[in-house]
Every structure is written in C-alpha cells, then in structure tokens.
Amino acid sequence: MKRGREILRDVEGYVPGEQPKETGVIKLNTNENPYPPSPSVQEALRHLTPDAIRRYPDPVSLELRQACAERYGYESADWCVAGNGMDELLALAVRTFVDPGDAILTPYPTYTLYETLAQLHGANVTMMDLDDEFRLPERFFKTPARLCFVPRPNAPTGVSGPRTDIERLCKSFDGMVVIDEAYVDFGDDNCMDFPKRFDNAIVMRTFSKSFSMAGMRVGLAVAQPDIIAEFLKTKDSYNLNAYSQAAALAAIRDYPHMEANAARIRGTRRRLRSALETIGFTVPPSQANFVLAYWNGTPSAKDIFLALKHRGIFVRYFEARRLDNALRITVGTDEETDALLDALREIIA
Ligand SMILES: Cc1ncc(COP(=O)(O)O)c(C=O)c1O
C-alpha cells in the first residue's frame, strides 16, 4: 500500500516557485474567479473585532450553517457542515464512511484528489472510464462500493451528466454518494434537493469558485442530519477560522453578487468555446468556469501549453490518459480571454 510521500498529490499542477506571482501574467490554470467577491465580504473582514481575533472561533460555524440551510431550502443548520474548503470535507467523507480496505468508486477522468484521498486511507479505489460523451457508464451504477464521488459538473471535462443519472445512482448505490458541486453555480441545474430525498446523498459546495473566495478556504456539505452529525464528530475542533466564517456569511447573504458574476462568466465561456472551435479545438460543452479544449494538430497540446506559459499565460495541461491532447482553460475576464485567443492564434498559425 502506498503511503505518505509515495502518494503525490497533484494540487492543480502547482509547482513550488513556478506559480505566477508577478503582475502581468494571465492565470487561467486553477479555475479561480476573475472577479472580486461581494464588497460585503471585505466589509465583514474589516469589521472583525479584536475580541473575535483573540478568542477561538465558533467551532461549529453555526451562523454560517444556518444562513446556508436557509439559502438552500433546508429547515435547520443540522443539515449542513462547513469545512476548511471542500477538500477538507472530501477527506472527512472518506475518513468517516470508509474503512481501510473498503472500495471507493470514482469516474475517470475526474478531480485527482479523490484517488489521492482513497490511497492515503488505504481504500481500494476503482476509477471507471466515462463514456465518449463523458457520461457515467452503465457499469458505474452496478458496482458496489462504500462511497462514490460524482462531480457535477465534472472536472476537468466541465461536462454535467443528466441529473437523472445522479438520481438513479442515489437509488441504486448502497454506499454514500458524494455529489461534488464545486462548479454548479456556472451550470443549468443542481442536485441540492437530493439530501431531502435520499439518505445516502451528500451534496458538497465550495466558496472558492462562484463566490470568488479561494483564499478563504470555505466549503459546505449538505446531507441528512445523522450524516452531518458524523462529520461534526470527525472534523477538527476549530476547522474554520473567524475570518473565513465572517467572509462566507457575508458572501452567502449577498447571493445576487455571486449570481451576477457567474452569469458574466457563462457569457464569456460561450464566446471562448466558440472561438476555440473556430481555431480548430474540440470543446465538450462546459457547465463550469473552465473548458477542456482538445487539440489533435501540430504543435502538440503540450507544446501549446509551454508556448502559452512562455508568454505568461498559464493554462492547465495534464500528462494523463484521455487528457494529454487537451488544455484546461479557466474562463477569465473578457480581456484575458482575448489575450489567450490571440496568443493561441499566433502559436498555431
Ligand atoms: C471538482 C472539485 N471539487 C472540489 C474542489 C476543492 O474546492 P476547495 O477550494 O473548496 O477545497 C475543487 C478545486 O479545484 C474541484 O475542482
């Protein structure tokens, strides 16, 4: 069994010292939101009192969970748990519901952290290939496991399978179904009602993407109260600091700000996708704030990635099966998108 340093976590292609820090670079490699969070977030942070800093924060983030429950149509905070980013909640789901040696099921390709978490826990992970349209294959519904991860929209494809597939999975799967909705605010629909209907459904959200708060590290899981109680038992005592709680509370209360930014990003995504297709890329329909652009010409996708990097434009390249002829490109501002498209036209000409 691999443990510790043998298991290399691929944190969004992060290479120490290579992350663009200087101004002037165009950073389209980690699916951050190009627009600022609600002004009320910064206001809330400015108004945090010395006492709020001196004291320990609320260990269970109650006010935030109440606000989230209300926003998402749940009757109380008992249906929600807040995490130090969704990544913490994904790890807690494995720790809470899976024993070492148990099976975990994920699609392929998908968010690389699922496999890493399963390996770190000593679980047996099965990564099942999505079909040619990036939908769950029939076998996925029939494979027994203690837990499965189903991101919707998926990363890095951006594709959202039908909601009815997830519904069918919750009905037929006898383990926990973690529905990762990190990017769902950029899509057409969601599964936030599933925890009311299915006792094995856990819907997870993050404040990193649509709420423009990746630096604050806040995630949310919604599930039936007995499941949430398990999360509360296994999480670190003070998993969310006072700043993160205050920021996320302000953000969820200014929902229209997030919706307006998400709508703007969807507009740019439409334009980006069609321009990429005109250049010659094949781009599966994305419901996220990024697109996966396949390229089968010359120079290779990897060489295009390197040429963009040389010009200070960072996108994501995966040296992996079904992905090594593609670039994952975050939807940035309109200006960033224009600069990217101009550079691509030059590199490919
Ligand atoms: C599919 C998916 N799930 C979860 C996360 C983690 O989000 P967070 O920043 O809240 O840890 C990411 C981050 O990129 C992601 O792509």
Side-chain angles (χ1 to χ4, degrees), residues 143-216:
T143 302
R146 281 289 283 274
L147 182 144
C148 69
F149 289 111
V150 276
R152 184 174 183 277
N154 190 17
T157 63
V159 173
S160 263
R163 210 178 96 102
T164 45
D165 276 4
I166 312 294
E167 199 164 7
R168 184 179 156 209
L169 190 65
C170 291
K171 281 185 196 151
S172 64
F173 192 73
D174 65 0
M176 303 305 297
V177 179
V178 176
I179 307 161
D180 176 337
E181 293 196 335
Y183 299 100
V184 82
D185 292 323
F186 306 105
D188 295 335
D189 61 9
N190 63 71
C191 298
M192 191 44 109
D193 56 317
F194 283 18
K196 276 183 206 155
R197 300 166 49 207
F198 303 108
D199 61 9
N200 59 346
I202 306 174
V203 172
M204 293 199 186
R205 296 278 179 101
T206 176
F207 284 72
S208 299
K209 313 293 180 182
S210 54
F211 288 99
S212 314
M213 282 174 41
M216 297 308 294

Side-chain angles (χ1 to χ4, degrees), residues 113-128:
L113 181 65
Y114 307 146
E115 185 187 15
T116 308
L117 291 175
Q119 287 176 343
L120 284 169
H121 197 63
N124 293 317
V125 62
T126 302
M127 303 188 77
M128 203 173 281

Side-chain angles (χ1 to χ4, degrees), residues 12 85-87 90 111 114 155 180 182-183 206 208-209 217-218:
E12 290 290 354
M86 193 206 288
D87 282 352
L90 293 168
Y111 186 39
Y114 307 146
D180 176 337
Y183 299 100
T206 176
S208 299
K209 313 293 180 182
R217 312 300 305 129
V218 184

Side-chain angles (χ1 to χ4, degrees), residues 281 293-296 300-302 317-318 320 322-327:
F281 287 89
Y294 280 94
W295 176 254
N296 287 314
S300 67
K302 185 174 183 177
Y317 176 73
F318 299 88
R322 292 184 76 177
L323 298 171
D324 56 6
N325 57 341
L327 303 172

Side-chain angles (χ1 to χ4, degrees), residues 260-282:
N261 277 350
R264 211 166 155 190
I265 288 166
R266 275 198 298 271
T268 311
R269 180 182 69 202
R270 261 192 300 279
R271 190 167 73 79
L272 171 65
R273 182 172 179 230
S274 88
L276 287 169
E277 293 199 318
T278 305
I279 294 173
F281 287 89
T282 305

